[in-house]
Amino acid sequence: MFSKLSVVVTSVLITLAAAMPNTTPPVTTPTSNQCCNSVVSSSSAAASAVAALLGLDLTGLDVPVGLSCSPITVIGNNCGGTTVVCDAPDEEWGGLIAINCIPITL
């Protein structure tokens, strides 16, 4: 039963990704402190896969990309991942990806 559900969910995500127009995200000065599960190159397969789901085209960008990020709202080092400052519009990308991530030390 769960295998059928995963096939349906995967199919829906692929369909949504194909239906969304690809846009190149702007690379701006990072202003948002984030805790990301990982930070990878914008040319990596993982970054490309997440970007495709969101309708983003990372082709030609050469910046660090944060994956599975959440804003840091309390001062302190309670981040279980990588602490970075990024361009991460939560409204648009829902914490799945952040662009131009620079490591910081809190």
Side-chain angles (χ1 to χ4, degrees), residues 31-54:
T31 58
S32 177
N33 292 340
Q34 299 283 317
C35 177
C36 300
N37 284 347
S38 63
V39 177
V40 298
S41 168
S42 55
S43 61
S44 74
S48 296
V50 173
L53 288 174
L54 297 171

Side-chain angles (χ1 to χ4, degrees), residues 24-30 38-48 51 56-67 84-88 93 97-103:
T24 301
V27 177
T28 60
T29 303
S38 63
V39 177
V40 298
S41 168
S42 55
S43 61
S44 74
S48 296
L56 299 174
D57 181 9
L58 301 180
T59 305
L61 292 182
D62 186 23
V63 295
V65 173
L67 302 177
V84 290
V85 59
C86 303
D87 179 21
W93 303 334
I97 194 168
I99 304 296
N100 199 22
C101 295
I102 300 168

Side-chain angles (χ1 to χ4, degrees), residues 6 8 12 23-24 39 46 50-51 55 58 66 70 83 89-90 92 104:
S6 66
V8 170
V12 168
T23 58
T24 301
V39 177
V50 173
L58 301 180
S70 58
T83 306
D90 288 329
E92 295 175 50
I104 58 173

